[in-house]
Amino acid sequence: MRRWATRGLLLIALIFLLKEASAIVLPVLVALILTFVLAPAVRTMRHHGMPEAVSAAMLVTTVVGCAVLGAALLAEPAAQWWERAPQALSQGLNRVDRWRASIPGFGPPTERRAARAATPPPADPLRERLTSEGVALTAQLVGGGVKLMVSAAATTILLYFLLASEHWVLSRCIELLPHRARLRCAVLSGLRAAQRDISRYMVSLTAINMVVGAVVAGAMWLLELPNPGLWGGLAMLLNFIPYLGPLIMAGLLLAASTASSLGDGGVGALLAPVAAYLCIHGVEANFVTPQVVGKRLSMNPLSVLLSVMFWGWLWGVTGAVLAVPLLICLRSVSQRNRRMRPVALYLRGSDRPCPPLATLLRGSAVPSSPTSGAQRPQGKALDLEERP
């Protein structure tokens, strides 16, 4: 009992240590995930005679260039929305007041309405607060921007060195293990499997999200929502966060349509951007992504949601984006460790129907199920195929 209590306290201390050390841990984790994604391309170039340092420099330059280009394209429309945020917020609140007044029993009394019309309109508290606290707000934005730039620079430099020395680092890690062929083979196959799964997941998800962003931008342009490119870019970025990202995007679209001229066209015009986005996301999440990603990378939805909530609480938006890759790493490790096999069972997604509880209590579900017996050889064959 005392041993379990000690382990629990160590786990809690480790969680809060990771939260406090996010400035150091996050760049390392992001660089490792990007190394897993880009390492196959570096190995392919090395097999064709290109030095690892040159191929790593080319890939890192391409990634940084795409990120800078995307940020530059989204910066101008985002600045436009930021400049008119107080006016848009005031317009949205006025529309909400008019809708409330049109509903019997929810509007303000006539006397209060007349008194409000007689008195001059009060000053905008949001504008006054932005004016009075402009210096503090600017300092916070500058400080956050400096931290982001330092973190991005550290991640970029670390990514280059990890890509340029990926083969050397992996060889040294295998060399440090005990001289047991089975252990070294299991560790190497686990690393390669995690690398392959994360690379396939991230590349496929990036391609799907780019298409989703383009379709959302086209839909917002047809619906005449201002700055459709901004909403397409946000849809692409937020789609990297499972479950929570689409909800945030739907809320942003609802707020934007309320604050824009679409709010004057009635409830149908107001909800049209949100409905269009939810339809696009529904098609992508239920038909496109399962077909592209495949059953090999299918995860239990409950474990994905819990992972997003935990890592999002720990590290914010970056942690929510890293939640699924970290879950894939955990599943790859647990599949090759006998003590962690139950963890892999909970993480793995499966279309096989669960047996009745009464059958499980009698203990006859495993030997009598025709699909369970076929599932075990597939798992063994998968482990043998992943070994080099």
Side-chain angles (χ1 to χ4, degrees):
M1 184 66 183
R2 184 178 300 176
R3 183 177 61 181
W4 285 104
T6 304
R7 292 180 179 178
L9 291 176
L10 288 176
L11 180 61
I12 295 174
L14 178 62
I15 291 174
F16 283 96
L17 177 63
L18 291 176
K19 188 175 181 63
E20 293 297 326
S22 60
I24 300 176
V25 177
L26 272 182
V28 176
L29 272 180
V30 173
L32 284 175
I33 296 298
L34 291 177
T35 302
F36 279 11
V37 174
L38 300 176
V42 174
R43 288 199 301 269
T44 302
M45 295 181 184
R46 186 185 66 214
H47 292 160
H48 287 81
M50 183 177 293
E52 293 181 343
V54 178
S55 58
M58 292 174 56
L59 290 174
V60 171
T61 304
T62 304
V63 171
V64 173
C66 292
V68 172
L69 180 61
L73 292 176
L74 296 179
E76 184 177 355
Q80 293 177 2
W81 275 97
W82 177 261
E83 289 177 358
R84 61 187 181 190
Q87 182 181 0
L89 181 61
S90 178
Q91 291 178 359
L93 293 177
N94 291 334
R95 290 192 179 97
V96 171
D97 288 339
R98 288 199 300 268
W99 294 336
R100 190 183 64 175
S102 62
I103 302 175
F106 287 90
T110 308
E111 296 81 2
R112 188 180 302 175
R113 219 179 300 168
R116 185 181 300 177
T119 58
D124 191 354
L126 182 59
R127 188 181 297 274
E128 290 183 356
R129 184 172 182 180
L130 289 177
T131 304
S132 61
E133 299 181 1
V135 178
L137 182 62
T138 304
Q140 290 182 359
L141 291 177
V142 171
V146 170
K147 290 181 180 179
L148 181 61
M149 292 179 61
V150 171
S151 179
T155 303
T156 303
I157 297 172
L158 184 59
L159 174 63
Y160 170 75
F161 283 106
L162 286 176
L163 285 176
S165 59
E166 185 261 346
H167 183 70
W168 181 86
V169 172
L170 186 59
S171 301
R172 297 290 83 79
C173 293
I174 299 299
E175 187 179 0
L176 291 176
L177 294 175
H179 292 277
R180 288 186 292 176
R182 186 174 181 179
L183 175 62
R184 292 187 173 184
C185 182
V187 172
L188 182 59
S189 64
L191 288 175
R192 290 303 189 199
Q195 189 180 69
R196 182 171 59 249
D197 291 346
I198 292 177
S199 177
R200 180 180 176 184
Y201 171 78
M202 294 301 295
V203 171
S204 303
L205 190 62
T206 301
I208 293 172
N209 290 348
M210 291 177 64
V211 176
V212 168
V215 175
V216 170
M220 298 304 112
W221 177 74
L222 292 176
L223 294 173
E224 299 181 354
L225 185 67
N227 303 116
L230 174 63
W231 306 116
L234 288 178
M236 182 188 69
L237 295 177
L238 290 175
N239 209 36
F240 281 98
I241 305 176
Y243 302 114
L244 300 182
L247 293 178
I248 297 174
M249 186 63 197
L252 291 176
L253 286 176
L254 181 60
S257 60
T258 304
S260 65
S261 59
L262 294 179
D264 298 330
V267 180
L270 177 68
L271 299 179
V274 180
Y277 170 74
L278 291 179
C279 291
I280 296 171
H281 173 69
V283 173
E284 175 267 326
N286 295 293
F287 299 100
V288 178
T289 300
Q291 293 295 329
V292 175
V293 174
K295 294 183 179 180
R296 178 181 175 82
L297 296 180
S298 61
M299 306 288 291
N300 187 2
L302 180 60
S303 63
V304 172
L305 180 59
L306 292 177
S307 179
V308 170
M309 293 174 61
F310 174 75
W311 295 111
W313 165 78
L314 194 65
W315 291 328
V317 178
T318 307
V321 174
L322 296 177
V324 178
L326 292 176
L327 205 62
I328 293 175
C329 289
L330 178 60
R331 190 186 66 173
S332 179
V333 172
S334 59
Q335 284 177 346
R336 288 161 178 82
N337 193 333
R338 294 181 179 179
R339 296 181 179 180
M340 297 180 66
R341 287 289 175 86
V343 178
L345 182 64
Y346 280 104
L347 296 180
R348 185 184 307 160
S350 177
D351 296 332
R352 180 169 59 91
C354 298
L357 294 179
T359 307
L360 291 175
L361 292 177
R362 290 197 299 267
S364 60
V366 175
S368 63
S369 177
T371 56
S372 60
Q375 187 73 18
R376 290 183 177 179
Q378 291 177 2
K380 293 182 179 179
L382 179 61
D383 290 342
L384 291 177
E385 290 175 359
E386 290 173 347
R387 294 181 180 179

